[in-house]
Amino acid sequence: MKLFIAALVAGASVASSGALAQDALPQAGSPWFKVGQDTLAANLAKQPNTRRAKNIILFTADGQGVGTNYAVRLFSGQQKGLLGSEYVQPQEAFPHLALVKTYTTNGQTPDSAPTAGAMNTGVKQKNGMINIDPSVAHGDCAGVTGHELKTFAEIVAGEGKSVGVVSTARITHATPAGVYAKTANRDWEDDSKLPEGCTAQKDIAAQLFDQIKAGVVDIALGGGRRHFLPKDVKGEEGKSGKRTDGRNIIKEIQDLGGQYAWNEDTFKALDLDSDKPVIGLFEASHMKYEADRTGEPSLAEMTAAAIKKLSKNGNGFYLDIEAGRVDHANHDGNGARMLTDGKAFADAIALADEMTDDADTLIIVTADHEHAIAFNGYCGRGSPINGLCYDVDGKGEKHAAAPLLADDGKPYTVIGYLNGVGSVLKKQDDGTYSGSRPAIDEEIVEDKDYVQQALIPLSSETHSGEDVAVYAKGPWSHLFDGTVEQNYIFHVMNHAAHNGE
């Protein structure tokens, strides 16, 4: 024992000496050095929270991998008058994180269906399929019987928790559908998409109705009204439904006693203290981009409404929230709308964090996949992330006044894409592709409709298969560490919901 105590004292002396030695370093007065020391102290003080998670919130920014997240960070900081790189997004202040491998059982590059399914069932799946085990072929309706996977929502709802799903995409789209649906094809959002003779499974909108009726889903907010209405019925904004079976699923939910909202006013009129289910369908297809939003709630407002309703349950809740249109803007090669939707995602995270308690709420923030986005260099600090790449100023911190020029004598943007509609190669009359980069300036590239220059010509920019990040705080969040498989996210949620005090 004396030897042990002596060793502790010796260790403390060494640590103290180390601290004194660092104070004597010539760089000790640097603000960067002090930030590093403060970060070290904060990490040394971390203690794992091993309480049982009463509430679990899973945030997914569709298509916001590490690169896209970086772009949103700079944009958010520059919107506040900073150079950008030093800004910290809400999720980036969370104490625990890991890298996530997003490949699927048959795809080096995933789509949003199996990635959502992996996070909601703990099992990797095939591209294009949701919550069906990977032994079934894509599009095999008859093959799904007996191969459906049980979702996290079904598990916790069966134990008395409430469940909510929120998305700026169609609520029947791949990521939100991962909470409640099981399908051999993610595109079967209404019955008109089902193949002839497909009776082994229902369409995704019909499955949402069934899960609401069964008490699994308590609140669902997003777009996709057309998939709930018959083709001969027009929605509130004059657009016809898609269903061929004559079902008006919105009315059927109302007949269950459910509340329905379709615009900002009806959203604000919802009685969130009621035990009755809530469905909000704010567009015929996807909700509007944040940059264009009018007459419908923001992602943060929908998040707050869902938390308010679900928090009425003393047993707790599971809430899945998707910023779906980050993905769509990337597909369009449209950096400006990607950035504003990414910032709206961060605002929703900050509000959810404010409305909940770290002691009993596990918050997980991640992405399902990344895109073929890239960043040009060598840009000086403060180069507008949605603008041109300016030269480094050797005399100061902020970028120089002149933009960098490529070997063709033209400036280039910070953000670019490997492929997409912004390709500089254009199809010629003889079927071949050729072209050169058009001239650009700051006014052109900072327009919200500007499409970033790309290399490979494609009608829609693609996903990529690289890792994404997961950030977490709350009970058992320390289990996110290192590099993990995407289906591991389910296992942390499931453990947190069932273990601890």
Side-chain angles (χ1 to χ4, degrees):
M1 179 61 74
K2 290 181 179 179
L3 289 174
F4 177 69
I5 293 173
L8 285 177
V9 171
S13 298
V14 171
S16 177
S17 298
L20 289 173
Q22 290 187 35
D23 289 342
L25 291 172
Q27 63 265 40
S30 163
W32 293 108
F33 193 90
K34 291 178 180 178
V35 167
Q37 288 295 99
D38 290 345
T39 303
L40 175 64
N43 284 331
L44 288 170
K46 285 180 184 177
Q47 295 294 324
N49 178 350
T50 57
R51 296 181 60 177
R52 183 174 298 181
K54 176 182 177 182
N55 311 311
I56 296 176
I57 304 176
L58 175 60
F59 277 97
T60 305
D62 196 318
Q64 188 169 314
V66 173
T68 300
N69 182 77
Y70 161 77
V72 176
R73 177 197 303 151
L74 265 66
F75 175 77
S76 300
Q78 290 170 358
Q79 291 293 296
K80 290 183 175 292
L82 304 174
L83 295 179
S85 304
E86 70 275 41
Y87 183 75
V88 179
Q89 298 183 87
Q91 68 271 24
E92 293 173 340
F94 286 10
H96 302 289
L97 75 156
L99 289 177
V100 179
K101 296 192 282 186
T102 64
Y103 69 94
T104 66
T105 60
N106 66 345
Q108 182 168 296
T109 301
D111 71 86
S112 299
T115 52
M119 290 186 277
N120 278 281
T121 67
V123 175
K124 279 188 179 276
Q125 299 162 32
K126 280 183 177 174
N127 278 10
M129 302 175 71
I130 302 174
N131 299 332
I132 304 295
D133 81 51
S135 67
V136 179
H138 177 250
D140 182 4
C141 174
V144 303
T145 303
H147 295 277
E148 302 93 340
L149 303 172
K150 191 166 187 176
T151 66
F152 186 65
E154 290 172 323
I155 293 168
V156 297
E159 296 165 349
K161 291 188 186 295
S162 295
V163 174
V165 55
V166 171
S167 178
T168 51
R170 296 190 296 269
I171 203 68
T172 49
H173 211 237
T175 302
V179 177
Y180 61 83
K182 299 161 191 183
T183 179
N185 189 325
R186 59 173 285 179
D187 294 333
W188 296 346
E189 295 182 60
D190 62 66
D191 71 301
S192 71
K193 302 294 185 181
L194 290 173
E196 186 176 352
C198 178
T199 58
Q201 71 152 86
K202 294 182 179 181
D203 64 83
I204 294 172
Q207 289 189 53
L208 178 55
F209 171 80
D210 288 347
Q211 294 283 41
I212 290 173
K213 185 177 181 180
V216 173
V217 175
D218 299 276
I219 183 169
L221 303 173
R225 190 187 307 119
R226 69 190 188 190
H227 298 298
F228 295 81
L229 295 174
K231 63 179 182 179
D232 57 352
V233 172
K234 292 181 184 285
E236 289 81 359
E237 295 166 304
K239 295 182 180 179
S240 298
K242 295 283 188 181
R243 302 194 66 84
T244 58
D245 59 3
R247 290 184 65 182
N248 184 330
I249 294 180
I250 295 173
K251 184 177 185 303
E252 291 180 25
I253 293 172
Q254 291 175 309
D255 290 343
L256 293 175
Q259 302 178 71
Y260 168 59
W262 66 273
N263 64 3
E264 192 169 28
D265 291 337
T266 53
F267 170 77
K268 291 178 178 178
L270 290 170
D271 180 4
L272 300 174
D273 293 322
S274 169
D275 292 333
K276 298 299 183 181
V278 170
I279 186 165
L281 300 169
F282 302 106
E283 287 287 341
S285 184
H286 302 303
M287 292 181 68
K288 295 172 183 173
Y289 285 111
E290 179 63 23
D292 309 313
R293 183 172 59 83
T294 57
E296 58 193 45
S298 67
L299 184 61
E301 289 169 333
M302 292 191 293
T303 296
I307 292 174
K308 182 177 179 181
K309 177 172 176 57
L310 298 174
S311 295
K312 301 298 178 183
N313 186 341
N315 293 319
F317 62 83
Y318 169 49
L319 175 58
D320 188 291
I321 301 165
E322 183 205 23
R325 306 230 63 192
V326 172
D327 176 74
H328 301 154
N330 270 332
H331 278 306
D332 291 341
N334 180 205
R337 286 182 173 83
M338 173 271 288
L339 294 167
T340 50
D341 268 64
K343 176 60 168 62
F345 178 64
D347 292 343
I349 295 166
L351 186 54
D353 192 18
E354 181 182 326
M355 294 180 68
T356 56
D357 187 345
D358 291 356
D360 66 4
T361 302
L362 171 62
I363 301 181
I364 300 167
V365 178
T366 190
D368 48 356
H369 56 75
E370 181 56 294
H371 280 261
I373 191 171
F375 300 93
N376 291 313
Y378 298 94
C379 309
R381 281 189 67 192
S383 291
I385 189 63
N386 59 330
L388 298 177
C389 178
Y390 289 83
D391 202 357
V392 172
D393 184 356
K395 297 180 180 179
E397 290 186 344
K398 189 173 181 179
H399 63 76
L404 288 166
L405 302 180
D407 289 351
D408 61 3
K410 300 171 185 176
Y412 50 86
T413 57
V414 181
I415 296 175
Y417 289 91
L418 181 61
N419 61 63
V421 296
S423 174
V424 297
L425 300 176
K426 304 300 180 185
K427 191 173 184 178
Q428 307 302 313
D429 292 340
D430 62 359
T432 62
Y433 284 82
S434 63
S436 61
R437 295 195 313 123
I440 53 175
D441 58 30
E442 198 66 56
E443 182 178 0
I444 290 172
V445 301
E446 289 203 29
D447 188 279
K448 72 176 182 179
D449 293 323
Y450 179 70
V451 174
Q452 256 67 26
Q453 291 177 355
L455 175 61
I456 299 168
L458 287 175
S459 60
S460 177
E461 179 270 348
T462 68
H463 298 173
S464 70
E466 66 208 63
D467 296 350
V468 301
V470 57
Y471 307 88
K473 69 183 309 190
W476 300 100
S477 59
H478 62 283
L479 295 178
F480 288 110
D481 191 23
T483 302
V484 301
E485 299 286 358
Q486 194 162 47
N487 56 296
Y488 175 70
I489 292 173
F490 164 91
H491 294 277
V492 175
M493 296 194 300
N494 199 40
H495 182 85
H498 298 104
N499 293 275
E501 301 172 9

